[in-house]
Amino acid sequence: MTILNSLSIFATDALNASPRAIYKLKVDGTDISSFLNNRLIRMTIENKRGLESDSLSLELSDHDGLLDLPSKNAVIDVWIGWEATGLVYKGRYIVNEIEHAGAPDVISIRATSADMKKSLKQKKERSFDNITLQDIVQTIAFENELKVSVHEQLATRKIVHLDQNESNANLLTRLADEHDAIATIKNGTLLFMPKGQSQTISGQELPTFLIQRSYGDSHRYSCTDGGEEITAVRAFYYDDKMAKKLEVLVGDESNQNIKELRHIHRDKDTATFAARAKLNNLKRTSETLSYSLALGNPELIPEMTFLFDGLKAQIDEVFWLGTTIIDNLDSSGGYTTDIQLELFFPDADDVSELFEDQFVSEKDKKWTGVVVYYQDGNKAVKLTKGDQANPKHFTYLYVTKAAAQQRLDQEYALLDLETGKFRAHNALEEKPYTGLKVQYTIGKKLAPRYWTTLGDQSNPKVINRVYQSKKAAEKRLKSELPRLNARKDMLEQVKQDQDN
């Protein structure tokens, strides 16, 4: 039996039974569950990915004044579950906030994950030179008496120079953001692993949970054009040898809507990693989903993947990634789980890396004019300016005529007609996509995954989704066909002009 099936059966059994939620609490090693049976008003456990601390909130009735206030820094161990299926351990927390209010008298307790050591939050000033990510994370782990595990995909990445003027927790978060990774502490181990991979640190796939419409109380799906519209990210870095600020552009500048990172990075590699991480984040969060399970499931954790059945096709056809899991128990015996999700997509190298030296290979050319293209259905329409005896073709296919016209005017203004050279350039060249490809699975499991393709695969664009059927994947590729055809039409026009 697969984990997917067992999790689904768990939900089905809970729905068919007369469910009764159960829990266990230990404070500094002493089980106080029975004493709280008639006092628990609400318990909430919030489990997030990364170094954002997991948290525990308790509201307890003190109607008779017999409850003692716990001491700050008391350690609470928590289990929750259902009577029919048993308890599941949900972690260890340290009390950091206590409140007593009334009437009626209520004690509120807030605790955060015991894995987040205070020493991680202390400010440090130092520098690292010519070091790997593995070495930096290992140094921090050693200083805080933690074991360490860095995913092999990230471990050997080189850091030329890094200044630290912040806490180790902030530094780990900054490095994770730059490398599209997760830094977190679980069971005394500092983990540094790729974001959105739905894997354990050893590379094993986390289980996929199938949610039927009947399991839920409510859901909210949101689709914004921000992540899809922004197809490229520009990042800056300072080059000491050239003594000037340079740029890196990651992605496909097809619609002139570029996200620009304002921070100046320490070197080209760091800028590239940061731009790619930001672009990946924009893609993942272009569609989001929140879902409330009517009957909670204590087995769910962040970074698991989810499939849905019974919602809209756009939701049901793709895999989703859990980012935050919130378990809620209340005095009525109810237990629900709220899930916040973003799109899951594979770790595919689907972005072009465009650097500041793109025109070096054309340094001996003498240009007389400019050509820019925009999309009109399956065709590409040419806009020209200046003498067309030997024009520079900018092979970004813009989605509107207005955007193409703006680019045309910008580039022509930079063309020195006497020398035939561009004084500067506002954007950099890319190799246009020749085809499309996307991943799908069979049997509602995340692995194995298969590719389906459309068009010439010499330089295909990868659609960042994983579909749960080949039919759904092929449907998505066909929806992208007009733009692919327009790109081909553009390249044919460029070739004809150059041949002439």
Side-chain angles (χ1 to χ4, degrees):
M1 179 184 296
T2 66
I3 298 179
L4 171 64
N5 288 337
S6 65
L7 287 171
S8 297
I9 289 171
F10 172 94
T12 303
D13 288 345
L15 284 168
N16 293 336
S18 296
R20 190 174 80 88
I22 55 175
Y23 65 91
K24 181 165 76 171
L25 290 173
K26 284 187 176 182
V27 177
D28 292 333
T30 301
D31 189 343
I32 62 168
S33 309
S34 58
F35 184 64
L36 296 181
N37 276 343
N38 296 318
R39 297 179 180 274
L40 181 66
I41 300 172
R42 185 176 294 104
M43 174 163 59
T44 300
I45 302 171
E46 186 170 5
N47 188 204
K48 300 180 178 181
R49 64 185 183 186
L51 281 178
E52 293 182 88
S53 294
D54 299 340
S55 63
L56 167 69
S57 297
L58 292 168
E59 289 187 34
L60 306 173
S61 171
D62 189 30
H63 56 277
D64 53 8
L66 296 179
L67 276 183
D68 293 328
L69 294 177
S71 61
K72 285 191 68 174
N73 300 320
V75 177
I76 304 178
D77 290 279
V78 186
W79 293 257
I80 56 175
W82 295 98
E83 191 173 52
T85 53
L87 291 166
V88 173
Y89 183 59
K90 299 298 290 184
R92 173 169 290 186
Y93 302 86
I94 297 177
V95 174
N96 57 16
E97 186 177 332
I98 306 158
E99 180 181 291
H100 189 276
D105 287 5
V106 173
I107 295 176
S108 299
I109 301 169
R110 182 171 175 80
T112 53
S113 173
D115 280 321
M116 180 58 75
K117 291 176 173 282
K118 289 183 179 179
S119 55
L120 279 166
K121 300 179 180 180
Q122 295 172 355
K123 184 177 178 180
K124 284 183 173 288
E125 293 186 16
R126 56 181 166 180
S127 296
F128 299 93
D129 291 289
N130 296 317
I131 194 170
T132 64
L133 264 178
Q134 168 82 38
D135 293 334
I136 293 178
V137 177
Q138 193 165 320
T139 298
I140 294 173
F142 178 78
E143 291 171 346
N144 294 276
E145 299 180 340
L146 296 166
K147 292 181 284 185
V148 64
S149 186
V150 181
H151 196 282
E152 61 180 9
Q153 182 179 321
L154 301 168
T156 58
R157 289 190 179 178
K158 283 283 187 181
I159 305 295
V160 177
H161 178 78
L162 175 64
D163 292 319
Q164 180 180 0
N165 187 25
E166 60 200 314
S167 69
N168 282 333
N170 283 349
L171 176 61
L172 286 168
T173 299
R174 177 156 65 96
L175 288 170
D177 288 342
E178 288 179 355
H179 294 271
D180 201 27
I182 296 171
T184 188
I185 303 170
K186 298 295 181 186
N187 300 320
T189 299
L190 175 55
L191 306 176
F192 200 90
M193 57 198 299
K195 184 182 292 183
Q197 296 302 293
S198 189
Q199 291 181 346
T200 65
I201 194 69
S202 63
Q204 294 180 326
E205 299 281 352
L206 288 172
T208 297
F209 184 36
L210 175 62
I211 296 181
Q212 306 281 352
R213 178 69 185 263
S214 57
Y215 297 174
D217 266 347
S218 63
H219 72 276
R220 182 180 294 277
Y221 166 76
S222 175
C223 178
T224 66
D225 63 6
E228 292 296 302
E229 284 292 315
I230 296 176
T231 56
V233 176
R234 178 181 285 117
F236 299 96
Y237 68 97
Y238 189 81
D239 188 290
D240 290 328
K241 292 181 180 179
M242 299 180 70
K244 65 178 181 178
K245 184 174 75 170
L246 300 176
E247 70 177 40
V248 171
L249 186 68
V250 173
D252 170 14
E253 191 200 354
S254 61
N255 61 5
Q256 213 179 33
N257 190 6
I258 303 172
K259 175 70 175 179
E260 195 168 276
L261 304 182
R262 297 190 177 188
H263 176 70
I264 300 177
H265 295 84
R266 53 190 176 270
D267 53 60
K268 179 189 282 189
D269 286 345
T270 303
T272 304
F273 288 135
R276 181 187 287 117
K278 185 62 177 180
L279 184 60
N280 286 347
N281 182 66
L282 287 167
K283 291 176 180 178
R284 279 194 294 264
T285 57
S286 64
E287 296 179 48
T288 57
L289 179 65
S290 60
Y291 202 92
S292 295
L293 289 174
L295 296 176
N297 190 328
E299 300 281 359
L300 304 183
I301 59 173
E303 286 289 295
M304 281 177 59
T305 48
F306 293 79
L307 284 174
F308 293 86
D309 183 24
L311 302 177
K312 294 295 184 183
Q314 192 169 2
I315 301 172
D316 291 352
E317 288 176 349
V318 296
F319 283 81
W320 294 85
L321 187 77
T323 59
T324 302
I325 308 293
I326 304 173
D327 294 298
N328 302 286
L329 285 81
D330 60 36
S331 57
S332 66
Y335 168 30
T336 62
T337 299
D338 296 329
I339 312 166
Q340 296 176 15
L341 310 105
E342 65 186 24
L343 286 168
F344 172 84
F345 66 83
D347 182 28
D349 187 14
D350 65 323
V351 295
S352 305
E353 293 183 19
L354 312 172
F355 299 103
E356 71 286 337
D357 55 0
Q358 283 288 328
F359 285 13
V360 170
S361 61
E362 301 174 339
K363 63 180 182 300
D364 296 327
K365 298 279 188 180
K366 185 172 182 178
W367 308 113
T368 61
V370 176
V371 181
V372 176
Y373 298 83
Y374 68 92
Q375 181 184 355
D376 184 7
N378 286 299
K379 296 294 184 180
V381 180
K382 178 194 304 184
L383 294 179
T384 65
K385 195 164 187 176
D387 184 352
Q388 295 299 294
N390 187 35
K392 169 65 181 174
H393 292 260
F394 288 89
T395 54
Y396 304 116
L397 182 60
Y398 288 93
V399 293
T400 66
K401 182 178 180 179
Q405 185 67 53
Q406 182 182 357
R407 174 68 186 283
L408 186 78
D409 294 339
Q410 287 175 341
E411 294 298 341
Y412 189 74
L414 293 171
L415 178 59
D416 185 329
L417 296 178
E418 289 187 11
T419 63
K421 306 297 182 185
F422 288 89
R423 292 188 292 273
H425 44 88
N426 292 314
L428 307 172
E429 285 299 280
E430 67 178 30
K431 184 180 178 182
Y433 296 123
T434 58
L436 302 164
K437 64 190 297 188
V438 68
Q439 286 190 341
Y440 68 94
T441 65
I442 297 175
K444 299 189 183 302
K445 292 192 296 182
L446 190 57
R449 298 197 287 270
Y450 307 92
W451 290 101
T452 184
T453 64
L454 184 64
D456 178 5
Q457 294 299 295
S458 59
N459 185 43
K461 178 181 180 180
V462 178
I463 306 299
N464 285 304
R465 305 283 189 279
V466 177
Y467 288 86
Q468 61 164 301
S469 71
K470 186 176 183 180
K471 181 179 179 181
E474 290 176 340
K475 176 183 172 184
R476 174 59 191 271
L477 290 186
K478 289 178 181 177
S479 72
E480 298 277 341
L481 192 57
R483 183 152 185 83
L484 180 62
N485 289 337
R487 287 178 182 274
K488 289 181 178 178
D489 183 46
M490 175 186 67
L491 293 178
E492 289 173 2
Q493 292 184 56
V494 172
K495 187 175 184 303
Q496 288 174 6
D497 286 352
Q498 291 174 343
D499 288 345
N500 294 334

